[in-house]
Amino acid sequence: MANEELPKAVAGPINFIDDRLSTVGFLKRNVKKVFPDHWSFMLGEIALYSFIILLLTGTFLTLWFKPSMTEVYYHGSYHPLAGVKMSEAYASTLDITFDVRGGLLMRQIHHWAAILFMASLMVHMLRVFFTGAYRKPRELNWLIGLGLFTLGMVEGLFGYSLPDDLLSGTGLRITQGVAESIPVVGTYIYMFLFGGEFPGEAIIPRMFTLHILLIPGIILALVTAHMMIMWHQKHTQMPGTGGTEHKVTGYPFYPVFMAKTGAYFLFTFAVIALLATFAQINPIWLFGPYDPSAISAGSQPDFYMGVLEGALRLMPNWEITALGHTLSLNVLIPALVPLGIIFTGAGLWPWIERWVTGDHRYHHVNDRPRNAPTRTSAGMAMVSFYGLLWVAGANDVVADKFHVSLYATTYFFRVAIFVGPVLAFIITKRICLGLQRSDSATMAHGYEAGIITMSPEGKFEEVHKVAPPSEQAKLLSKEEPAPPLASLDSNGVPAKRAKGPMGHLRTRINMWWNKDTVPVVEGHHEDEHAAIEHEHHEELTR
């Protein structure tokens, strides 16, 4: 029962709810739940707050937007387009921008919130990957995160296509070409989506319905599932913070975490509002209504779609014609292969890593990226692959700003997307191993104190000091890899998991996976340092 000492106006409703739902017991169990504290955990919160802002501003915009492709003549406040024929969707967007009080600000907040949602979600997933937070038992939440990012891309595509301006119409034309390039069923998908020949009159109303109802509903359901799973499994924690696989250290949900998360929401909203106020984005009145015969120079989609734009620009003009049918590889491959490699690889990675390493343990403490060099190197290879394709999506802008040939940039990126990830993998792995050696040296000899001593014989030595306990805990958090998978069992018979081609492959990958890793163990030479400190003290007292 609720506390009877509460004021009657408060105790009455609480008792009413508790008598029917027994909420007090649930709150007592969960209100003091401990959440670990680290700055990188805020990335996921920023994505959540951005999504809330998207829902609020989207509701406002829905009240005035007209999802219709019926052609009208514009007679609004923006005089440069007065009398121009355009779709009702574009006209209503201009009305929101120039005639609805606060309309332009709401449009800008909505667009910037979408950008921040995708950016924070991307960085949050990179943090999860590089720290190994996707490992058992959190594989389902990792897949939910990939699903959220995919849905966010589709939602963003539909959202900025709704105004039916020249830029968004060009994006829709590319979408139509991609759908039509799919073998066998492409034409049917294209006709079903657009309701006839491009552009038709059905695509804007259909995208509007998907944009405001279906996709946000699925995203909201996935976010709820993500939060419930995280609450049940408890949040991962960073090494060296005092937490273990069986103990969580941090702050209670109430009041500390609730106060901090409320402040973070206000900070996030303030940043988005400031961007919307002072940084113009998507000025559709400058682009004009969509015209299939026109396209503006330097057209760029939002950043999260840049990888598809880059793949499309780099792909050679390959087509296959057979039996009266044409297979447009120059559109199909850029649309499916790059993101297919990234998302499929990311989705399967937890199981690939477990299969290679044989690690089936529960993990509630994250890895430092340096302590998992193969994983970190693979992640950086994918980041470089994605980043190069993203920059290639602006190859015309790069060529213009740096005064180089457009064809030269295209050929450069065609080579770079294959060479870049390989170099990124090799360089990242060497850096990780170098950092491991540094950690091992710190534990073995301490860190350089910046003090040089001279012995009576004239010998100079630098004083090393023992790392503080918090730093030692962080360094010693490195999990030493399991021994290589045995090819023979205790009886000298080939082990079951090492048999066959897949078994041999697994054994070889396992040996390569952990090759060159540097152990980090306690072994500080205390006597040596004590002697150096004693000599230093004697020199100072002479």
Side-chain angles (χ1 to χ4, degrees):
M1 297 291 291
N3 189 349
E4 297 295 342
E5 297 180 359
L6 292 172
K8 185 176 181 180
V10 177
I14 290 180
N15 287 330
F16 177 86
I17 296 174
D18 184 49
D19 289 341
R20 289 154 181 80
L21 302 177
S22 299
T23 56
V24 171
F26 172 82
L27 291 176
K28 284 183 177 179
R29 289 193 305 272
N30 292 278
V31 76
K32 295 298 182 182
K33 186 177 180 69
V34 174
F35 281 83
D37 186 42
H38 192 269
W39 67 267
S40 65
F41 298 158
M42 189 177 66
L43 298 169
E45 295 180 37
I46 293 175
L48 176 63
Y49 306 147
S50 300
F51 180 65
I52 294 173
I53 295 171
L54 280 169
L55 294 179
L56 296 175
T57 54
T59 301
F60 178 90
L61 296 174
T62 302
L63 300 177
W64 284 276
F65 181 73
K66 298 177 182 179
S68 171
M69 298 188 72
T70 302
E71 291 188 332
V72 298
Y73 290 94
Y74 179 69
H75 298 289
S77 301
Y78 188 64
H79 298 298
L81 291 177
V84 175
K85 182 187 289 187
M86 59 185 64
S87 67
E88 199 168 12
Y90 185 66
S92 66
T93 307
L94 291 176
D95 291 338
I96 293 173
T97 302
F98 296 107
D99 298 314
V100 175
R101 188 180 299 273
L104 177 58
L105 180 63
M106 284 296 178
R107 279 193 60 238
Q108 299 246 123
I109 290 177
H110 191 73
H111 204 134
W112 276 116
I115 296 292
L116 188 60
F117 173 74
M118 293 300 294
S120 56
L121 190 60
M122 180 184 294
V123 180
H124 173 64
M125 293 186 67
L126 288 175
R127 195 276 300 173
V128 170
F129 182 85
F130 286 122
T131 60
Y134 56 79
R135 293 173 295 176
K136 185 179 180 181
R138 296 176 177 82
E139 301 94 336
L140 289 180
N141 253 356
W142 173 247
L143 295 179
I144 288 175
L146 289 173
L148 284 172
F149 189 81
T150 305
L151 287 172
M153 292 182 69
V154 177
E155 178 78 340
L157 171 65
F158 287 177
Y160 71 65
S161 297
L162 288 177
D164 198 32
D165 59 284
L166 180 58
L167 182 62
S168 66
T170 303
L172 271 183
R173 186 63 170 176
I174 295 174
T175 303
Q176 176 262 329
V178 170
E180 198 171 10
S181 69
I182 300 174
V184 183
V185 298
T187 304
Y188 299 98
I189 294 175
Y190 149 54
M191 287 292 183
F192 173 77
L193 183 63
F194 286 85
E197 292 290 342
F198 180 87
E201 295 185 355
I203 185 62
I204 295 295
R206 290 177 178 179
M207 285 196 308
F208 180 73
T209 303
L210 295 173
H211 182 72
I212 69 167
L213 289 177
L214 181 61
I215 299 179
I218 297 175
I219 291 177
L220 185 60
L222 290 177
V223 168
T224 303
H226 182 85
M227 299 296 293
M228 292 176 66
I229 294 173
M230 185 272 295
W231 188 281
H232 173 71
Q233 293 178 342
K234 69 187 178 183
H235 203 293
T236 58
Q237 48 195 333
M238 289 298 182
T241 57
T244 67
E245 298 291 351
H246 307 288
K247 181 184 73 173
V248 179
T249 58
Y251 298 101
F253 177 72
Y254 178 84
V256 178
F257 184 79
M258 288 188 65
K260 292 177 68 174
T261 197
Y264 287 153
F265 173 78
L266 294 177
F267 293 156
T268 303
F269 179 77
V271 170
I272 293 175
L274 287 172
L275 285 171
T277 303
F278 297 106
Q280 179 176 271
I281 189 170
N282 198 26
I284 61 163
W285 56 92
L286 300 179
F287 305 146
Y290 177 61
D291 180 359
S293 64
I295 185 170
S296 59
S299 299
Q300 302 296 323
D302 284 340
F303 85 95
Y304 48 87
M305 300 298 292
V307 61
L308 295 176
E309 177 80 8
L312 190 64
R313 295 188 182 200
L314 296 185
M315 185 66 192
N317 188 26
W318 291 353
E319 289 185 349
I320 298 176
T321 302
L323 302 177
H325 296 277
T326 300
L327 184 61
S328 299
L329 298 178
N330 55 337
V331 178
L332 184 64
I333 290 178
L336 302 181
V337 173
L339 286 185
I341 293 174
I342 294 173
F343 286 125
T344 304
L348 295 177
W349 186 266
W351 288 271
I352 294 173
E353 183 174 313
R354 184 189 304 173
W355 177 74
V356 171
T357 62
D359 184 4
H360 294 269
R361 296 170 296 175
Y362 285 84
H363 294 277
H364 300 300
V365 179
N366 293 328
D367 282 335
R368 301 174 78 196
R370 67 183 65 183
N371 293 336
T374 302
R375 176 204 304 149
T376 304
S377 302
M380 286 306 301
M382 284 297 100
V383 168
S384 65
F385 178 69
Y386 187 101
L388 287 168
L389 284 175
W390 176 73
V391 177
N395 65 340
D396 56 338
V397 178
V398 172
D400 177 61
K401 298 301 181 182
F402 290 93
H403 306 288
V404 295
S405 167
L406 177 63
Y407 295 106
T409 61
T410 302
Y411 291 129
F412 169 79
F413 283 114
R414 283 178 179 176
V415 176
I417 60 171
F418 295 102
V419 177
V422 176
L423 291 177
F425 184 95
I426 295 172
I427 294 171
T428 302
K429 188 159 188 179
R430 302 319 302 174
I431 292 175
C432 289
L433 294 175
L435 292 173
Q436 285 187 22
R437 293 187 186 94
S438 175
D439 292 345
S440 179
T442 300
M443 289 304 303
H445 307 293
Y447 67 93
E448 298 175 353
I451 301 174
I452 306 297
T453 63
M454 185 178 71
S455 66
E457 296 80 18
K459 180 181 179 181
F460 290 93
E461 292 188 24
E462 183 173 14
V463 176
H464 285 64
K465 291 188 176 181
V466 180
S470 59
E471 184 67 17
Q472 290 190 37
K474 185 186 298 184
L475 298 179
L476 292 173
S477 66
K478 181 178 184 293
E479 293 182 352
E480 296 305 322
L485 298 175
S487 57
L488 301 177
D489 60 18
S490 57
N491 299 319
V493 179
K496 183 178 180 180
R497 60 187 179 185
K499 292 180 179 179
M502 294 302 295
H504 290 300
L505 177 64
R506 181 187 184 190
T507 303
R508 290 180 178 275
I509 295 177
N510 175 265
M511 295 176 63
W512 167 80
W513 193 280
N514 298 319
K515 185 179 180 182
D516 299 328
T517 185
V518 181
V520 179
V521 295
E522 290 186 90
H524 190 73
H525 298 169
E526 296 181 359
D527 295 338
E528 172 189 345
H529 296 298
I532 295 175
E533 289 284 0
H534 179 67
E535 291 180 5
H536 176 60
H537 177 73
E538 286 186 345
E539 289 293 325
L540 293 177
T541 56
R542 284 180 182 174

